[in-house]
């Protein structure tokens, strides 16, 4: 399907486990982003990528790792999940340029026990 | 980044116009004003953006004050589907769009039938 998809949509894991959240877009957008949304904090940027093999830290990168070997995929890995990483994670993409809108995925609700 | 201030919540009646205000008194000359909204249990979606002139699209209108220190998102005829959190976001045109969006707490719009 065309658009931006995230998987899984829901995930429950335990403290200390590694978890990877997947993001896939079909528009060949240059830019991709990961945000987390917590009650009381709104959406905060975790990592972003301007192109394949180019990534950079956002506001809250600690505890997360990203990679972007292909333009269309931008996985987010929690190397050792903690309870504070329980959140809703949104992936987004946009074509280049400040004016261009970001398209958001449906989100992944992650619970770390 | 320049900061925006929005009311926490607003209430309106179905089929009436809604005016959502945003103050951004420290806006710089290169900042674009973007609006996004987030419907319940969904990712944010782009609504509209502008620099100096008023803007219209199929979803809404954006009225920008002459001094650019404030703006108003106008929904001409609100429906129940417009109930969402609306975010006013400033984006520096020099950033190239690669650095993500900075979300505040937004305005929770409630539509009464």
């Amino acid at each position: 399907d065309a658009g931006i998809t995230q998987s899984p949509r829901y995930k429950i894991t335990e403290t200390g486990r590694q978890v990877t959240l997947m993001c896939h877009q079909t528009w060949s957008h240059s830019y991709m982003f990961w945000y987390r949304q917590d009650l009381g904090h709104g959406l905060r940027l975790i990592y972003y990528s301007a192109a394949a093999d180019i990534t950079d830290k956002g506001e809250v990168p600690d505890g997360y790792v990203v990679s972007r070997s292909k333009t269309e995929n931008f996985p987010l890995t929690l190397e050792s999940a903690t309870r504070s990483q329980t959140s809703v994670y949104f992936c987004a993409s946009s074509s280049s340029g400040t004016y261009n809108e970001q398209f958001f995925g449906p989100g992944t609700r992650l619970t770390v026990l | 980044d320049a900061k925006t201030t929005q009311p926490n919540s607003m209430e309106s009646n179905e089929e009436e116009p809604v005016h959502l205000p945003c103050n951004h008194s420290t806006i710089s000359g290169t900042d674009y004003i973007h609006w996004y909204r987030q419907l319940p249990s969904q990712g944010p979606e782009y609504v509209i953006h502008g620099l100096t002139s008023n803007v219209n699209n199929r979803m809404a209108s954006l009225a920008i004050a002459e001094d650019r220190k404030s703006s108003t998102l106008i929904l001409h005829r609100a429906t129940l589907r417009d109930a969402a959190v609306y975010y006013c976001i400033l984006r520096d045109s020099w950033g190239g769009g690669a650095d993500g969006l900075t979300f505040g707490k937004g305005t929770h719009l409630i539509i009464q039938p």
Side-chain angles (χ1 to χ4, degrees), chain B residues 3-60:
Chain B
K3 190 175 175 180
T4 62
T5 304
Q6 299 177 252
N8 289 334
S9 65
M10 289 184 64
E11 200 166 311
S12 183
N13 295 320
E14 196 176 11
E15 299 187 5
E16 290 186 357
V18 179
H19 291 236
L20 296 163
C22 181
N23 287 319
H24 29 78
S25 59
T26 60
I27 190 170
S28 74
T30 56
D31 283 337
Y32 278 75
I33 302 159
H34 289 244
W35 284 81
Y36 281 74
R37 72 179 186 180
Q38 187 173 21
L39 279 64
S41 301
Q42 295 188 26
E45 65 173 344
Y46 167 85
V47 177
I48 200 166
H49 77 274
L51 183 62
T52 55
S53 304
N54 294 344
V55 183
N56 300 297
N57 66 21
R58 62 174 181 82
M59 288 181 71

Side-chain angles (χ1 to χ4, degrees), chain A residues 9 31 33 35 37 40-43 45 48-50 90 94 96-107, chain B residues 32 34 36 38 41-46 49 87 91-105:
Chain A
R9 294 293 315 278
Y31 298 146
F33 311 85
Y35 298 85
Q37 185 169 33
H41 285 284
L43 285 107
L45 182 67
Y48 59 97
S49 169
F90 290 102
S94 75
S96 59
T98 305
Y99 330 110
N100 292 322
E101 61 188 282
Q102 287 192 13
F103 295 87
F104 284 79
Chain B
Y32 278 75
H34 289 244
Y36 281 74
Q38 187 173 21
S41 301
Q42 295 188 26
E45 65 173 344
Y46 167 85
H49 77 274
Y87 298 98
R91 299 196 74 191
D92 188 345
S93 60
W94 291 106
D99 53 349
L101 299 170
T102 300
F103 287 84
K105 299 227 168 129

Side-chain angles (χ1 to χ4, degrees), chain A residues 9-100:
Chain A
R9 294 293 315 278
Y10 302 91
K11 177 73 176 178
I12 299 174
T13 190
E14 294 178 339
T15 301
R17 291 192 180 268
Q18 183 178 83
V19 177
T20 296
L21 309 183
M22 303 302 293
C23 179
H24 176 78
Q25 52 102 354
T26 60
W27 296 300
S28 299
H29 282 165
S30 299
Y31 298 146
M32 294 190 75
F33 311 85
W34 275 107
Y35 298 85
R36 61 178 288 175
Q37 185 169 33
D38 307 295
L39 282 175
H41 285 284
L43 285 107
R44 293 180 290 174
L45 182 67
I46 305 171
Y47 268 96
Y48 59 97
S49 169
D53 297 323
I54 301 175
T55 62
D56 210 343
K57 296 177 181 179
E59 182 186 353
V60 288
D62 293 343
Y64 302 96
V65 174
V66 293
S67 61
R68 193 162 176 212
S69 57
K70 293 184 177 180
T71 299
E72 61 267 29
N73 297 324
F74 192 37
L76 176 74
T77 298
L78 289 66
E79 292 191 305
S80 179
T82 65
R83 293 182 69 179
S84 65
Q85 292 177 310
T86 293
S87 187
V88 180
Y89 291 85
F90 290 102
C91 178
S93 71
S94 75
S95 55
S96 59
T98 305
Y99 330 110
N100 292 322

